[in-house]
Amino acid sequence: MKILSIQSAVAFGHVGNSAAVFPLQRIGVEVLPVYTVNFSNHTGYGAWRGPMIDPANVSEVIAGIEDRGVFPQIDVVLSGYQGGEGIGDVIIDTVARVKAANPNAIYACDPVMGNAKSGCFVAPAIPILLRERVVPVADIITPNQFELGFLTDTEPDTIESTLASADLARAMGPSTILVTSVERPDREDDTIEMMVVTEAGAWIVQTPRLPLKANGSGDVTAALFTAHFTRTGNAADALARTASSVFDLLTKTLESGERELQLVESQEFYAEPRMQFSARQVR
């Protein structure tokens, strides 16, 4: 499998491509990383150095990959946080060109906008760009529950309302919706869930909620789920594998006392997930 991953990069820590690439490589995926920023660290520290990469330069890198005749071999285009409208245009154009070269290729979009605690933390134009132009050309999207609500102008909280919101998202274009950070009033205490909704059905997985905020964990989740699901077509298995790997990654990070994901130290959890969580069919 080859994945063209268009995301941010940081030298210190693990977000964007700096979070997604290594776990994908560890499960045997060939990754072509294209950077949209080259920062010293993620912006959650409040201070960072390094450039945002001009969309024209990002496009040039992608054109150079195309020049090598690689597009027919690309199985997935993967994107995450989009810092500006220009990057969205580059991604949309790239998806069209990759699919022209390989009609079986898919586009997986993590529509990063914000979360329930912080609200939207991207530029005001980005949610509109995602909803109106990017999500409609995606095959897989991986919003958190808050982002799913924003995309569909709903307020999902129960299993039923989250399913309904996911169906609205599927009607926008994507065939597969992975909803992360699912929180419903009747769930067990100190747990959190993920749900996947496809044409074939819907499944949910529940894990203990760990007391940490881990920047980059969503990037790892989107990457692993996309790879597992693309490989097997089995949404329930992909969900269970991803939940198992990411939970153990977060547990190791919590135990380390470090702020950044213990990405390298957790590599066996990607290659050989413990499968300690099972996905329950809800439709």
Side-chain angles (χ1 to χ4, degrees), residues 179-194:
V179 190
T180 63
S181 300
V182 173
E183 300 185 48
R184 54 189 173 92
D186 57 341
R187 74 187 189 282
E188 296 175 32
D189 291 341
D190 299 317
T191 63
I192 195 162
E193 295 168 316
M194 290 196 294

Side-chain angles (χ1 to χ4, degrees), residues 182-219:
V182 173
E183 300 185 48
R184 54 189 173 92
D186 57 341
R187 74 187 189 282
E188 296 175 32
D189 291 341
D190 299 317
T191 63
I192 195 162
E193 295 168 316
M194 290 196 294
M195 179 189 292
V196 62
V197 182
T198 73
E199 185 179 7
W203 295 264
I204 197 166
V205 64
Q206 184 180 88
T207 70
R209 183 178 195 134
L210 297 172
L212 83 164
K213 178 185 177 183
N215 295 87
S217 58
D219 302 316

Side-chain angles (χ1 to χ4, degrees), residues 33 39 62 74 77 147 160 184 237 242 247 271 273 283:
F39 287 167
I62 294 168
I74 291 174
V77 178
E147 291 162 340
E160 291 75 18
R184 54 189 173 92
D237 181 71
T242 301
F247 179 80
R283 188 167 69 189

Side-chain angles (χ1 to χ4, degrees), residues 22-253:
F22 178 66
L24 288 172
Q25 291 172 329
R26 195 63 182 82
I27 64 171
V29 175
E30 182 74 32
V31 188
L32 289 70
V34 175
Y35 301 145
T36 57
V37 309
N38 188 13
F39 287 167
S40 55
N41 51 271
H42 69 70
T43 58
Y45 286 95
W48 64 94
R49 299 184 185 230
M52 287 191 68
I53 299 174
D54 187 281
N57 290 330
V58 178
S59 184
E60 276 294 293
V61 172
I62 294 168
I65 295 170
E66 186 176 22
D67 289 344
R68 303 283 72 78
V70 180
F71 275 15
Q73 303 169 28
I74 291 174
D75 301 289
V76 179
V77 178
L78 174 66
S79 72
Y81 170 75
Q82 297 184 23
E85 294 178 76
I87 291 296
D89 292 333
V90 171
I91 292 169
I92 292 167
D93 178 65
T94 300
V95 168
R97 283 156 47 201
V98 167
K99 287 191 170 190
N102 177 12
N104 294 319
I106 65 166
Y107 171 37
C109 169
D110 186 5
V112 178
M113 290 181 280
N115 56 59
K117 289 185 178 178
S118 306
C120 273
F121 51 63
V122 297
I126 298 302
I128 298 168
L129 170 74
L130 288 168
R131 183 167 55 203
E132 295 184 357
R133 297 188 56 215
V134 178
V135 167
V137 301
D139 301 285
I140 298 172
I141 61 170
T142 60
N144 60 38
Q145 193 175 34
F146 169 84
E147 291 162 340
L148 175 65
F150 196 96
L151 285 171
T152 57
D153 196 23
T154 60
E155 296 184 2
D157 54 358
T158 63
I159 286 181
E160 291 75 18
S161 62
T162 303
L163 283 169
S165 297
D167 287 340
L168 289 173
R170 291 186 68 246
M172 296 167 67
S175 57
T176 299
I177 317 293
L178 173 68
V179 190
T180 63
S181 300
V182 173
E183 300 185 48
R184 54 189 173 92
D186 57 341
R187 74 187 189 282
E188 296 175 32
D189 291 341
D190 299 317
T191 63
I192 195 162
E193 295 168 316
M194 290 196 294
M195 179 189 292
V196 62
V197 182
T198 73
E199 185 179 7
W203 295 264
I204 197 166
V205 64
Q206 184 180 88
T207 70
R209 183 178 195 134
L210 297 172
L212 83 164
K213 178 185 177 183
N215 295 87
S217 58
D219 302 316
V220 176
T221 300
L224 287 177
F225 175 81
T226 296
H228 289 313
F229 183 56
T230 302
R231 247 181 197 156
T232 67
N234 187 325
D237 181 71
L239 183 64
R241 285 181 180 277
T242 301
S244 175
S245 296
V246 173
F247 179 80
D248 281 343
L249 165 64
L250 293 176
T251 299
K252 184 168 279 290
T253 300

